[in-house]
Amino acid sequence: PLSIHSFQQSRNERLSNKMRKSEITTRMKKVFLKASALGAQAACTDEEIGELEKLISEATKAVDKAIGKGVLHKNTGARRKARMSKYKQDLRREKGLLTA
């Protein structure tokens, strides 16, 4: 039988996981909004790309923490990080800032 303690514990864990996932979603949304705003501009500087990279690194850190805590599967985390870096690469390619 489920005790009150285990019910409270599972509720707290569920809320904690939900909070972590919500943070990831919010940070990814900020990355995508910034990337689309830069994409809409006629030209963008390396400094603006740097701001985007900062947002990406914050989101990546949140994703990595969630993977470490077992909130996200590692493949899901990898897919989300890849999606963000693809946005950045596509933006750089589009603006002619890709140095390869």
Side-chain angles (χ1 to χ4, degrees):
L2 279 175
S3 67
I4 294 293
H5 176 72
S6 65
F7 172 73
Q8 288 173 336
Q9 188 175 10
S10 62
R11 186 191 64 205
N12 290 341
E13 285 173 359
R14 181 175 54 83
L15 290 173
S16 177
N17 292 346
K18 192 175 177 183
M19 188 177 74
R20 227 174 255 286
K21 283 184 177 181
S22 173
E23 181 194 1
I24 291 169
T25 307
T26 305
R27 290 188 183 278
M28 286 182 69
K29 197 174 190 179
K30 285 182 181 176
V31 169
F32 298 144
L33 287 173
K34 180 76 173 172
S36 59
L38 290 176
Q41 290 178 7
C44 60
T45 62
D46 276 331
E47 188 179 299
E48 290 170 325
I49 298 273
E51 291 172 22
L52 180 65
E53 285 174 345
K54 185 173 182 284
L55 289 174
I56 289 174
S57 74
E58 288 170 359
T60 299
K61 186 177 177 184
V63 168
D64 287 337
K65 272 187 174 180
I67 293 169
K69 300 282 183 190
V71 176
L72 286 184
H73 189 275
K74 65 179 184 174
N75 291 357
T76 304
R79 186 179 67 241
R80 291 186 179 183
K81 292 190 289 188
R83 189 179 295 158
M84 288 186 289
S85 71
K86 184 181 184 314
Y87 260 75
K88 185 187 77 174
Q89 287 302 99
D90 289 349
L91 182 69
R92 291 183 75 141
R93 191 171 293 114
E94 186 184 309
K95 300 298 177 186
L97 296 171
L98 198 63
T99 51

